[in-house]
Amino acid sequence: MDFFFQTIKYCVANHLSKNPVYPILEYWLVKHPNILNFSWKQGETPGSSIFFLSSIVVSYLSLTYLLSRSTLVSCSPRFLKNLTAIHNIVLLSLSFVMALGCSLSIILFAPNVDYLVCFPKKTPPTGPLFFWAYIFYLSKIFEFMDTLLIILSNSVRRLTFLHVYHHATVVVMCYISLHSSQSMFPCVLVTNATVHVIMYFYYFLCAVGIRPKWKKLVTDCQILQFFSSFAIIAWIFYYHFTGAGCSGILGWCFDAVFITSLLVLFLDFHSKNYSKQKTKGN
């Protein structure tokens, strides 16, 4: 695995770096002073306090409950369609930038796979890897807009427990990853952001009136992501208990429970939606 990682680093250093676009990307996504000197400080960095986290999650759950049971002023379909399209293209673009920025940060700042899998204990949450983890955390708050758009479209049927639970809890997961300098989280970020590029591209197409036939692919990618997370968890636990210990191991205990619950819910969603389609097709 480390040979593969070092090969990628070599290719970037000796081939991609010669591309005139690469230095621009490297500066704006990795070596800009605000990224290079980033430091997560609880209570100082915007959004880093327990009070903020609690407030934003409770507010999300409360407003979702109240708005979903209220009679709202109806938006014109055209306005809502345009708003949804803009929302999806923004999140698609942001997900792509996060995946690219974090990937470059991994290549440039992770010396080897061992470091990436298992940050040394007491690793400070500073630098490009944690900058992108911070942006990822903030993006999950912005994704609360998904829920508002569902409510505004009067599609309460789509406002499932899975949707609300996932949106509320993933913010907590991201907060814990930053607070605990969680090992391997950059890889989780890249994987999740890549899946979200596909997902929000699909939603964008739907918003502009195109109905792709690969909706099932979106759910399959999400489920595959959860299975890969279990492999990551096993890998980290192996390093933690056979070595000097890894940073953020308690965060991974939380993640293990959360990811297991999501996998169960997504498999149930997959079964109910796509098994029925097969039955109808037969």
Side-chain angles (χ1 to χ4, degrees), residues 70-129:
S70 303
T71 303
L72 303 177
V73 177
S74 59
C75 300
S76 72
R78 184 182 181 85
F79 171 78
L80 194 58
K81 182 179 178 180
N82 291 337
L83 181 61
T84 302
I86 292 170
H87 172 72
N88 288 323
I89 203 68
V90 167
L91 280 172
L92 186 160
S93 303
L94 180 59
S95 297
F96 178 78
V97 171
M98 287 190 294
L100 182 59
C102 195
S103 295
L104 284 175
S105 300
I106 289 170
I107 291 168
L108 293 172
F109 286 92
N112 50 52
V113 169
D114 288 352
Y115 176 83
L116 191 60
V117 174
C118 183
F119 292 153
K121 282 187 173 181
K122 297 183 179 179
T123 295
T126 60
L129 290 175

Side-chain angles (χ1 to χ4, degrees), residues 214-226:
W214 41 272
K215 179 183 178 182
K216 182 173 176 288
L217 174 66
V218 177
T219 307
D220 289 343
C221 286
Q222 290 171 311
I223 291 172
L224 182 62
Q225 175 191 191
F226 299 139

Side-chain angles (χ1 to χ4, degrees), residues 13-27:
N14 293 278
H15 298 288
L16 286 181
S17 59
K18 296 176 182 178
N19 189 301
V21 177
Y22 178 80
I24 299 172
L25 291 175
E26 184 181 69
Y27 176 77

